[in-house]
């Protein structure tokens, strides 16, 4: 099953939802979603800056549309990571840790 699956954010503690995140597994999609949620929280001056809880629902056609809960923490890197992609340098100052949350 090498096909990519599609997920969306159902709810979060920063009052943001929606988006379409494609990945082979839910954890990778959750990382992408958490990254976007942290960006949106920073823009809206939301008090939650270091930890976000959210629900991710699978929206892939033919799936059983399960909902998974996650807790994401944003950790500042001691030394920024610089990566060059297609001639453009990108600096990563944070990493995102994701953990599945039990109901």
């Amino acid at each position: 099953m090498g096909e990519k699956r599609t997920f969306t954010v159902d709810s979060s503690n920063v009052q943001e939802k929606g988006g379409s995140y494609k990945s082979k597994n839910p954890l990778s999609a959750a990382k992408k979603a958490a990254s976007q949620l942290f960006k949106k929280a920073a823009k809206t001056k939301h008090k939650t800056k270091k930890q976000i809880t959210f629900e991710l629902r699978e929206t892939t056609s033919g799936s059983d549309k399960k909902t998974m809960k996650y807790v994401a923490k944003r950790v500042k890197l001691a030394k920024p990571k610089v990566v060059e992609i297609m001639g453009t340098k990108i600096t990563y100052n944070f990493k995102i840790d994701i953990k599945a949350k039990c109901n």
Side-chain angles (χ1 to χ4, degrees):
M1 187 173 130
E3 302 274 328
K4 288 198 174 187
R5 296 156 60 186
T6 310
F7 301 87
T8 188
V9 176
D10 255 1
S11 64
S12 68
N13 67 336
V14 290
Q15 282 72 45
E16 292 287 340
K17 61 182 182 177
S20 181
Y21 306 98
K22 294 180 182 178
S23 186
K24 289 184 179 181
N25 61 43
L27 191 62
S28 295
K31 241 182 189 180
K32 292 176 185 181
S35 179
Q36 291 301 312
L37 288 171
F38 278 116
K39 283 182 185 179
K40 289 178 182 178
K43 284 182 183 176
T44 60
K45 305 283 190 248
H46 197 276
K47 63 181 178 177
T48 304
K49 298 273 193 215
K50 295 188 182 201
Q51 181 172 312
I52 292 177
T53 57
F54 62 97
E55 289 186 12
L56 198 68
R57 181 173 42 90
E58 185 168 3
T59 58
T60 308
S61 178
S63 71
D64 50 356
K65 314 292 188 225
K66 282 188 179 177
T67 302
M68 296 140 281
K69 294 182 181 181
Y70 292 97
V71 176
K73 292 182 182 177
R74 190 168 96 159
V75 180
K76 185 157 179 78
L77 297 173
K79 182 180 175 190
K81 183 178 179 181
V82 179
V83 179
E84 190 171 330
I85 300 174
M86 294 170 45
T88 305
K89 288 188 179 183
I90 300 172
T91 304
Y92 294 101
N93 294 311
F94 297 93
K95 79 172 188 174
I96 295 177
D97 291 330
I98 297 278
K99 291 211 177 9
K101 185 177 175 185
C102 298
N103 295 334

